[in-house]
């Protein structure tokens, strides 16, 4: 049922988990919503799908709501039923002072000097993967590379020894490409069971890994509780795997479609950091949920306290009113990454932003250095999925072996 305060002209039927046509093109599927009959006149529509909620469809509205942490709460992640109650992520599902304190500790642990210190290990992981793939002449990039690198990075971050890593592979795949065999509750349990021995050890005997560092940072002058440590570790695991895998997949897709950009970055590797920033702007696939805790008047309507709002980063970054020729990839755009929404905006902006950027840069550098010109496989389609993190589900690539 559509609530009385929602004008009839704002109502659509749009399932954020499977926008029409998403399996072929995530970006086009979302852009069709912004360009649909309801879209052009409005920056905010109400979808009847998934229990009914608002969706911001124009860049300025996406951005304004994303930065309104006072009136829009992060506590429930409610557009995905069950997710918020089960996961209880820290700091993602916190608000106000509580959020600030925990986020501060995580931010210190992930400070850029610590992230930089991890770069040699990430480089080694990327080199090992490319060396294995190179002689094959083909790969399914999502499973063979995109999903593996961020998992290795996470395990490095919490200092899990190499020989223990295969245990997390299946879990990692379920996180990035759930096949329906595990419920959200089972996924959370499997992650907790796996992570707990490492968390317990880091709490008792901190090492010099990133995770120990975060736990060594006091929250408002006190130590992390066991429950908080678990919830935070879960947040880093669930927040830093499929997001990075999705981004690496989109970057590889772009390069496969644009051999001229491959050549340019091979010839001028010093452009790679700027290219990483621009490709992250161009291919945003994260959307977030908010619960209104006060009325918000915006775009000619009122979001009532209690309403759910969905904010897709794609409809900010690809709105021509927000970025000139937004679909064009221009390595010299020179925009601050704070201007786009790929990594969020405001109080909850991604704490892993520096780490994510380093992973994308390392991927670009190592892949382009190790591989000859690569292209999409002519006989197998690229497939994509929607959801809170959209992504390529299959990205078959070929090159001369
Ligand atoms: C390209 C890769 C990534 C993308 C696109 C991405 C995207 C985002 C976005 C959009 C948010 C904002 C959520 C909101 O406003 O509700 C966010 C928050 C967060 N991200 Fe990332 N992320 C990425 C990588 C990572 C990595 C590598 C980590 C782990 C180290 C991470 C951990 C987190 C955490 C813990 C939060 C919650 C921050 C808070 O609530 O204060 N992310 N991310």
């Amino acid at each position: 049922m559509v609530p009385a305060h929602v004008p009839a002209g704002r109502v659509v039927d749009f399932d954020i988990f499977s926008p029409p046509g998403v399996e072929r093109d995530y970006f086009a599927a979302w852009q069709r919503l912004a360009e649909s009959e309801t879209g052009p006149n409005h920056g905010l529509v109400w979808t009847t799908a998934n229990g009914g909620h608002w969706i911001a469809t124009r860049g300025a509205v996406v951005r304004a709501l994303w930065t309104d942490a006072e009136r829009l709460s992060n506590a429930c992640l409610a557009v995905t039923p069950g997710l918020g109650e089960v996961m209880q992520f820290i700091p993602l599902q916190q608000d106000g002072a509580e959020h600030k304190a925990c986020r501060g500790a995580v931010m210190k642990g992930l400070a850029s000097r610590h992230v930089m210190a991890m770069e040699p290990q990430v480089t080694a992981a990327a080199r090992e993967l490319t060396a294995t793939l190179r002689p094959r002449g083909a790969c399914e990039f999502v499973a063979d590379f995109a999903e593996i690198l961020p998992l290795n990075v996470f395990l490095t971050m919490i200092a899990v020894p190499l020989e223990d890593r295969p245990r997390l592979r299946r879990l990692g795949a379920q996180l990035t490409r759930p096949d329906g065999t595990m419920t959200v509750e089972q996924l959370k349990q499997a992650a907790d069971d796996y992570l707990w021995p490492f968390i317990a050890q880091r709490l008792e005997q901190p090492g010099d890994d990133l995770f120990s560092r975060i736990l060594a940072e006091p929250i408002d002058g006190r130590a992390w509780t066991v429950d908080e440590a678990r919830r935070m570790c879960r947040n880093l695991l669930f927040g830093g795997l499929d997001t990075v895998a999705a981004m690496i997949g989109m970057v590889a897709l772009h390069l496969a479609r644009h051999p001229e950009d491959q050549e340019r970055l091979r010839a001028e590797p010093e452009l790679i950091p700027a290219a990483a920033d621009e490709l992250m702007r161009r291919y945003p696939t994260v959307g977030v949920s908010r619960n209104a805790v006060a009325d918000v008047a915006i775009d000619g309507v009122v979001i009532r306290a209690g309403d759910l709002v969905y904010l897709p980063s794609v409809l900010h970054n690809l709105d021509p009113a927000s970025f000139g020729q937004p679909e064009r990839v221009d390595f010299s755009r020179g925009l601050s990454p704070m201007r786009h929404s790929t990594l969020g905006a405001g109080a909850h902006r991604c704490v892993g932003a520096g780490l994510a950027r380093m992973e994308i840069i390392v991927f670009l550098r190592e892949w382009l250095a190790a591989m000859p010109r690569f292209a999409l496989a002519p006989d197998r389609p690229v497939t994509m999925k929607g959801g809170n993190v959209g992504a390529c589900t299959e990205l078959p690539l070929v090159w001369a072996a």
Side-chain angles (χ1 to χ4, degrees):
M1 219 185 55
V2 179
H5 64 281
V6 177
R10 302 274 180 153
V11 179
V12 295
D13 176 18
F14 187 87
D15 180 355
I16 60 129
F17 297 106
S18 70
V22 73
E23 53 296 327
R24 288 182 306 285
D25 188 335
Y26 171 91
F27 303 95
W30 271 99
Q31 280 171 300
R32 272 194 290 277
L33 174 67
E35 289 154 11
S36 68
E37 272 176 39
T38 313
N41 303 315
H42 301 305
L44 202 59
V45 295
W46 175 276
T47 178
T48 49
N50 297 303
H53 61 87
W54 295 103
I55 303 177
T57 54
R58 261 205 232 124
V61 178
V62 172
R63 200 64 180 176
L65 293 174
W66 212 317
T67 47
D68 191 344
E70 291 287 309
R71 295 180 294 178
L72 297 171
S73 159
N74 251 43
C76 335
L77 309 179
V79 173
T80 314
L83 187 70
E85 293 92 315
V86 171
M87 294 299 179
Q88 300 289 316
F89 290 131
I90 286 181
L92 183 68
Q93 286 181 252
Q94 295 174 306
D95 291 321
E98 190 190 35
H99 169 250
K100 208 171 162 202
C102 290
R103 178 182 166 91
V106 179
M107 293 280 281
K108 277 194 193 153
L110 285 165
S112 64
R113 65 182 189 287
H114 301 316
V115 169
M116 286 309 134
M118 271 177 68
E119 192 173 323
Q121 286 153 291
V122 180
T123 301
R127 265 186 205 163
E128 197 187 315
L129 277 174
T130 47
T132 320
L133 294 176
R134 169 80 173 84
R136 290 194 205 160
C139 75
E140 194 292 282
F141 185 81
V142 177
D144 292 338
F145 191 99
E147 287 180 349
I148 300 177
L149 189 70
L151 188 60
N152 263 314
V153 171
F154 178 81
L155 296 173
T156 303
M157 199 164 105
I158 62 170
V160 172
L162 284 173
E163 60 275 17
D164 277 342
R165 297 185 176 196
R167 283 175 57 207
L168 204 59
R169 274 282 160 79
R170 181 168 173 267
L171 189 61
Q174 286 291 335
L175 291 181
T176 43
R177 275 191 295 182
D179 62 5
T181 58
M182 282 173 104
T183 61
V184 175
E185 174 65 49
Q186 285 168 330
L187 254 185
K188 178 223 137 193
Q189 201 51 51
D192 278 8
D193 291 347
Y194 179 85
L195 293 172
W196 173 240
F198 300 103
I199 299 174
Q201 205 185 14
R202 308 290 173 271
L203 278 169
E204 234 167 66
Q205 282 180 311
D208 66 352
D209 54 288
L210 276 187
F211 195 64
S212 295
R213 252 184 226 120
I214 295 172
L215 291 175
E217 287 294 333
I219 313 172
D220 270 344
R222 63 163 178 86
W224 291 78
T225 66
V226 166
D227 179 57
E228 287 165 343
R230 277 178 186 267
R231 290 163 61 190
M232 184 271 291
C233 193
R234 205 185 291 146
N235 198 168
L236 295 184
L237 175 69
F238 283 80
L241 241 52
D242 58 343
T243 50
V244 179
M247 184 53 68
I248 293 180
M250 291 302 174
V251 170
L253 175 62
H254 174 88
L255 293 176
R257 283 179 174 157
H258 295 274
E260 71 286 3
D261 282 346
Q262 292 184 38
E263 294 320 315
R264 179 134 192 246
L265 295 178
R266 278 197 192 94
E268 299 172 74
E270 65 280 6
L271 290 180
I272 285 177
D277 289 335
E278 170 65 349
L279 290 164
M280 285 173 87
R281 178 203 63 81
R282 170 61 184 82
Y283 295 103
T285 66
V286 177
V288 301
S289 306
R290 295 290 192 262
N291 264 68
V293 289
D295 289 0
V296 181
I298 186 166
D299 195 50
V301 294
V302 177
I303 298 170
R304 291 256 181 255
D307 287 355
L308 296 179
V309 188
Y310 197 74
L311 308 173
S313 52
V314 54
L315 294 189
H316 173 232
N317 291 11
L318 297 187
D319 181 345
S322 303
F323 300 94
Q325 294 186 285
E327 285 171 59
R328 201 169 145 240
V329 167
D330 175 358
F331 298 154
S332 63
R333 212 179 267 265
L335 286 175
S336 153
M338 304 297 281
R339 285 250 344 257
H340 62 70
S341 298
T342 302
L343 298 152
H348 288 273
R349 188 173 184 275
C350 184
V351 291
L355 179 58
R357 182 172 188 265
M358 183 265 274
E359 292 183 59
I360 309 294
I361 290 173
V362 168
F363 154 62
L364 281 168
R365 205 175 54 211
E366 297 307 320
W367 183 272
L368 289 170
M371 295 291 185
R373 180 186 281 210
F374 58 97
L376 297 177
D379 52 342
R380 285 172 62 194
V382 175
T383 55
M384 297 192 189
K385 71 168 176 84
N388 294 323
V389 183
C392 292
T393 43
E394 292 221 347
L395 178 52
L397 297 181
V398 291
W399 56 86

